[in-house]
Amino acid sequence: MNKSVKGYTIDYASRTITMNYKFAAAAAKYGTVEYNTLKAILADYPQMKQVIKAGRTIKTTRPTKRLTYENMKKYMSVYSNADELLAMFQIVKTRSLPLASPYKYVRDWFTKQFPNYKIAPEFGGPGVNVAVVEPPNVDNYKKKPQEAA
């Protein structure tokens, strides 16, 4: 075989072949390079067990971790014009429904509306108003595929 294949390791001591998800999916298709590689290994070592694991572990958290719709609502509710913000939030959520990634659309609006949302707002006096930002243009986002009726 002249094509290099990665995505698996062989542990002879424990008699296991550890594959990542991508390699295992490709090995499940007849005739692929991965299929032929796995077939050759199992022909030589029929007692080997197959284990599927993730190729790598994520060591850093996502920047949007815990930025749920519920937490967005809680954040907006502390402002004195919370009713106006929450109404726009509902509009943005509704406009996001036909998009392939509705959450991304809503998140983009929220981060545009509150660029420093990770920092708690400082309140001094009767309350803080924040100007409502227009939602992003839906034409800039990928739409859901049309379902056959």
Side-chain angles (χ1 to χ4, degrees):
M1 238 181 281
N2 57 2
K3 186 175 180 182
S4 175
V5 178
K6 295 183 181 180
Y8 70 94
T9 57
I10 301 174
D11 185 357
Y12 296 101
S14 65
R15 296 181 177 172
T16 58
I17 303 168
T18 305
M19 301 175 278
N20 64 23
Y21 291 108
K22 187 175 180 181
F23 181 88
K29 295 180 184 168
Y30 182 78
T32 61
V33 175
E34 293 83 356
Y35 171 84
N36 292 329
T37 302
L38 185 59
K39 183 178 171 186
I41 294 168
L42 291 175
D44 290 343
Y45 306 101
Q47 73 282 5
M48 290 279 192
K49 296 177 197 160
Q50 299 175 33
V51 178
I52 301 172
K53 290 188 176 178
R56 64 183 178 96
T57 56
I58 298 173
K59 295 182 172 87
T60 59
T61 59
R62 293 183 323 272
T64 58
K65 184 177 182 179
R66 296 182 48 101
L67 187 59
T68 61
Y69 288 166
E70 193 59 37
N71 287 341
M72 289 179 196
K73 283 185 194 176
K74 286 178 187 175
Y75 186 86
M76 288 183 274
S77 67
V78 300
Y79 289 94
S80 58
N81 63 336
D83 294 337
E84 187 181 4
L85 291 167
L86 291 170
M88 181 56 83
F89 181 66
Q90 283 304 120
I91 292 169
V92 170
K93 280 183 15 182
T94 303
R95 289 181 70 180
S96 72
L97 294 177
L99 302 177
S101 181
Y103 174 77
K104 181 179 179 344
Y105 180 79
V106 175
R107 186 190 71 214
D108 287 350
W109 170 79
F110 184 82
T111 55
K112 186 177 171 186
Q113 177 70 50
F114 305 102
N116 298 323
Y117 71 91
K118 292 182 181 183
I119 301 168
E122 294 193 19
F123 297 103
V128 175
N129 276 341
V130 63
V132 178
V133 174
E134 286 298 314
N137 187 351
V138 291
D139 295 335
N140 297 336
Y141 292 84
K142 186 177 175 185
K143 308 283 189 279
K144 286 182 184 174
Q146 295 294 328
E147 297 177 12

Coordinates of all heavy atoms in Angstrom, one line a residue, residues 3-41:
K3 N -0.4 4.4 0.1 CA -1.1 5.5 0.8 C -0.9 5.3 2.3 O -1.2 4.2 2.9 CB -2.5 5.5 0.4 CG -3.3 6.7 0.9 CD -4.7 6.8 0.4 CE -5.4 8.0 0.9 NZ -6.8 8.1 0.5
S4 N -0.5 6.3 3.0 CA -0.3 6.3 4.4 C -1.6 6.4 5.1 O -2.4 7.3 4.8 CB 0.7 7.4 4.9 OG 0.7 7.4 6.3
V5 N -1.9 5.6 6.1 CA -3.2 5.6 6.8 C -2.9 5.8 8.3 O -2.1 5.2 8.9 CB -4.0 4.3 6.6 CG1 -5.3 4.3 7.4 CG2 -4.3 4.0 5.2
K6 N -3.6 6.8 8.8 CA -3.5 7.1 10.3 C -4.8 7.0 10.9 O -5.8 7.0 10.2 CB -2.9 8.5 10.5 CG -1.4 8.6 10.0 CD -0.9 9.9 10.3 CE 0.5 10.0 9.7 NZ 1.2 11.3 10.0
G7 N -4.9 7.0 12.2 CA -6.2 6.9 12.8 C -6.3 5.7 13.7 O -7.4 5.4 14.2
Y8 N -5.3 4.9 13.8 CA -5.3 3.7 14.6 C -4.0 3.4 15.3 O -2.9 3.9 14.8 CB -5.8 2.5 13.8 CG -4.7 2.0 12.9 CD1 -3.8 1.0 13.2 CD2 -4.6 2.5 11.6 CE1 -2.8 0.6 12.4 CE2 -3.6 2.1 10.7 CZ -2.7 1.1 11.1 OH -1.8 0.7 10.2
T9 N -4.0 2.7 16.4 CA -2.8 2.2 17.1 C -3.0 0.8 17.4 O -4.1 0.4 17.7 CB -2.4 3.1 18.3 OG1 -3.5 3.0 19.2 CG2 -2.1 4.5 18.0
I10 N -1.9 0.1 17.5 CA -2.0 -1.4 17.9 C -1.2 -1.5 19.2 O -0.1 -1.1 19.3 CB -1.4 -2.3 16.8 CG1 -2.1 -2.1 15.4 CG2 -1.4 -3.7 17.2 CD1 -1.5 -2.8 14.3
D11 N -1.9 -2.1 20.1 CA -1.2 -2.4 21.4 C -1.1 -3.9 21.5 O -2.1 -4.6 21.8 CB -2.0 -1.8 22.6 CG -1.3 -2.0 23.9 OD1 -0.3 -2.6 24.0 OD2 -1.9 -1.5 24.9
Y12 N 0.1 -4.4 21.3 CA 0.3 -5.9 21.3 C 0.2 -6.5 22.6 O -0.2 -7.6 22.8 CB 1.6 -6.2 20.6 CG 1.7 -5.8 19.2 CD1 2.4 -4.7 18.8 CD2 1.1 -6.6 18.2 CE1 2.4 -4.3 17.5 CE2 1.2 -6.2 16.9 CZ 1.9 -5.1 16.5 OH 1.9 -4.7 15.2
A13 N 0.5 -5.8 23.7 CA 0.5 -6.3 25.0 C -1.0 -6.6 25.5 O -1.3 -7.6 26.1 CB 1.1 -5.3 26.0
S14 N -1.9 -5.6 25.2 CA -3.3 -5.8 25.6 C -4.1 -6.4 24.4 O -5.3 -6.6 24.6 CB -3.9 -4.5 26.0 OG -3.9 -3.6 25.0
R15 N -3.5 -6.6 23.3 CA -4.1 -7.2 22.1 C -5.4 -6.4 21.7 O -6.4 -6.9 21.5 CB -4.6 -8.6 22.4 CG -3.4 -9.6 22.6 CD -3.9 -11.0 22.9 NE -2.7 -11.8 23.0 CZ -2.8 -13.1 23.4 NH1 -4.0 -13.6 23.6 NH2 -1.8 -13.8 23.5
T16 N -5.1 -5.1 21.5 CA -6.2 -4.2 21.1 C -5.8 -3.3 19.9 O -4.6 -3.0 19.8 CB -6.7 -3.3 22.2 OG1 -5.6 -2.5 22.6 CG2 -7.3 -4.0 23.4
I17 N -6.7 -3.0 19.1 CA -6.5 -2.0 18.0 C -7.4 -0.9 18.4 O -8.6 -1.0 18.5 CB -7.0 -2.6 16.6 CG1 -6.3 -3.9 16.3 CG2 -6.8 -1.5 15.5 CD1 -6.9 -4.6 15.1
T18 N -6.8 0.3 18.7 CA -7.6 1.5 19.0 C -7.7 2.4 17.8 O -6.7 2.8 17.2 CB -6.9 2.2 20.2 OG1 -6.6 1.3 21.3 CG2 -7.7 3.4 20.7
M19 N -8.9 2.6 17.4 CA -9.2 3.5 16.2 C -10.0 4.7 16.7 O -10.7 4.7 17.6 CB -10.1 2.7 15.3 CG -9.5 1.4 14.8 SD -10.7 0.5 13.8 CE -11.7 -0.3 15.0
N20 N -9.7 5.8 15.9 CA -10.6 7.0 16.1 C -11.9 6.8 15.3 O -12.0 5.9 14.5 CB -9.8 8.3 15.8 CG -9.4 8.4 14.3 OD1 -10.0 7.8 13.5 ND2 -8.4 9.2 14.1
Y21 N -12.8 7.7 15.6 CA -14.1 7.6 15.0 C -14.1 7.7 13.5 O -14.8 6.9 12.7 CB -15.1 8.7 15.5 CG -15.5 8.5 16.9 CD1 -15.0 9.3 17.9 CD2 -16.3 7.5 17.3 CE1 -15.3 9.1 19.3 CE2 -16.7 7.3 18.7 CZ -16.2 8.1 19.6 OH -16.5 7.9 20.9
K22 N -13.2 8.6 12.9 CA -13.2 8.7 11.5 C -12.6 7.5 10.8 O -13.1 7.0 9.8 CB -12.3 10.0 11.2 CG -12.2 10.4 9.8 CD -11.4 11.6 9.6 CE -11.4 12.1 8.1 NZ -10.6 13.3 8.0
F23 N -11.6 6.9 11.4 CA -11.0 5.7 10.8 C -12.0 4.5 10.9 O -12.1 3.8 9.9 CB -9.7 5.3 11.6 CG -9.0 4.1 11.0 CD1 -8.1 4.2 10.0 CD2 -9.3 2.8 11.5 CE1 -7.5 3.1 9.4 CE2 -8.7 1.7 11.0 CZ -7.8 1.8 10.0
A24 N -12.7 4.4 12.0 CA -13.6 3.3 12.2 C -14.8 3.4 11.2 O -15.2 2.4 10.6 CB -14.2 3.3 13.6
A25 N -15.3 4.7 11.0 CA -16.3 4.9 10.0 C -15.9 4.5 8.6 O -16.6 3.9 7.8 CB -16.8 6.3 10.1
A26 N -14.7 4.9 8.3 CA -14.1 4.6 6.9 C -13.8 3.1 6.8 O -14.0 2.5 5.7 CB -12.9 5.4 6.7
A27 N -13.4 2.4 7.9 CA -13.1 1.0 7.8 C -14.4 0.2 7.7 O -14.4 -1.0 7.3 CB -12.4 0.6 9.1
A28 N -15.6 0.8 8.0 CA -16.8 0.1 7.9 C -17.3 0.1 6.5 O -18.3 -0.6 6.2 CB -17.9 0.7 8.8
K29 N -16.7 0.8 5.6 CA -17.1 0.9 4.2 C -16.2 -0.1 3.4 O -15.0 0.1 3.3 CB -17.0 2.3 3.6 CG -18.0 3.2 4.3 CD -17.8 4.6 3.7 CE -18.8 5.5 4.5 NZ -18.5 6.9 4.2
Y30 N -16.8 -1.0 2.7 CA -16.1 -2.0 1.9 C -15.2 -1.4 0.8 O -15.7 -0.5 0.1 CB -17.1 -3.0 1.2 CG -16.4 -4.1 0.4 CD1 -15.9 -5.2 1.1 CD2 -16.4 -4.0 -0.9 CE1 -15.3 -6.2 0.4 CE2 -15.8 -5.0 -1.7 CZ -15.2 -6.1 -1.0 OH -14.6 -7.1 -1.7
G31 N -14.0 -1.8 0.7 CA -13.1 -1.4 -0.3 C -12.2 -0.2 -0.1 O -11.4 0.2 -0.8
T32 N -12.5 0.5 1.1 CA -11.7 1.7 1.4 C -10.3 1.3 1.8 O -10.0 0.1 2.2 CB -12.3 2.6 2.5 OG1 -12.4 1.8 3.7 CG2 -13.7 3.1 2.0
V33 N -9.4 2.2 1.8 CA -8.0 1.9 2.3 C -8.0 1.5 3.8 O -7.3 0.6 4.2 CB -7.1 3.2 2.1 CG1 -5.7 3.0 2.7 CG2 -7.0 3.6 0.7
E34 N -8.9 2.2 4.6 CA -9.0 1.8 6.0 C -9.5 0.4 6.2 O -9.1 -0.3 7.0 CB -9.9 2.8 6.7 CG -9.3 4.2 6.8 CD -9.5 5.1 5.5 OE1 -10.1 4.6 4.5 OE2 -9.1 6.3 5.5
Y35 N -10.5 0.1 5.3 CA -11.1 -1.3 5.4 C -10.0 -2.3 5.1 O -9.9 -3.3 5.9 CB -12.2 -1.4 4.4 CG -12.7 -2.8 4.2 CD1 -13.7 -3.4 5.0 CD2 -12.3 -3.6 3.2 CE1 -14.2 -4.6 4.9 CE2 -12.7 -4.9 3.0 CZ -13.7 -5.4 3.9 OH -14.1 -6.7 3.7
N36 N -9.2 -2.1 4.1 CA -8.2 -3.1 3.7 C -7.1 -3.1 4.8 O -6.6 -4.2 5.0 CB -7.6 -2.7 2.3 CG -8.6 -2.9 1.2 OD1 -9.4 -3.8 1.3 ND2 -8.5 -2.1 0.2
T37 N -6.8 -2.0 5.4 CA -5.8 -2.0 6.5 C -6.3 -2.8 7.6 O -5.5 -3.6 8.2 CB -5.5 -0.5 6.9 OG1 -5.0 0.2 5.8 CG2 -4.5 -0.5 8.0
L38 N -7.5 -2.6 8.1 CA -8.0 -3.3 9.2 C -8.2 -4.8 8.9 O -7.9 -5.6 9.8 CB -9.4 -2.7 9.6 CG -10.0 -3.3 10.9 CD1 -9.1 -3.1 12.1 CD2 -11.4 -2.6 11.1
K39 N -8.6 -5.1 7.7 CA -8.7 -6.5 7.3 C -7.3 -7.2 7.3 O -7.2 -8.3 7.8 CB -9.3 -6.5 5.9 CG -9.5 -7.9 5.3 CD -10.1 -7.9 3.9 CE -10.1 -9.2 3.3 NZ -10.6 -9.2 1.9
A40 N -6.3 -6.5 6.9 CA -4.9 -7.1 6.9 C -4.4 -7.3 8.3 O -3.8 -8.3 8.6 CB -4.0 -6.2 6.1
I41 N -4.7 -6.4 9.2 CA -4.3 -6.5 10.6 C -5.0 -7.7 11.3 O -4.4 -8.5 11.9 CB -4.5 -5.2 11.4 CG1 -3.6 -4.1 10.9 CG2 -4.3 -5.4 12.9 CD1 -4.0 -2.7 11.4

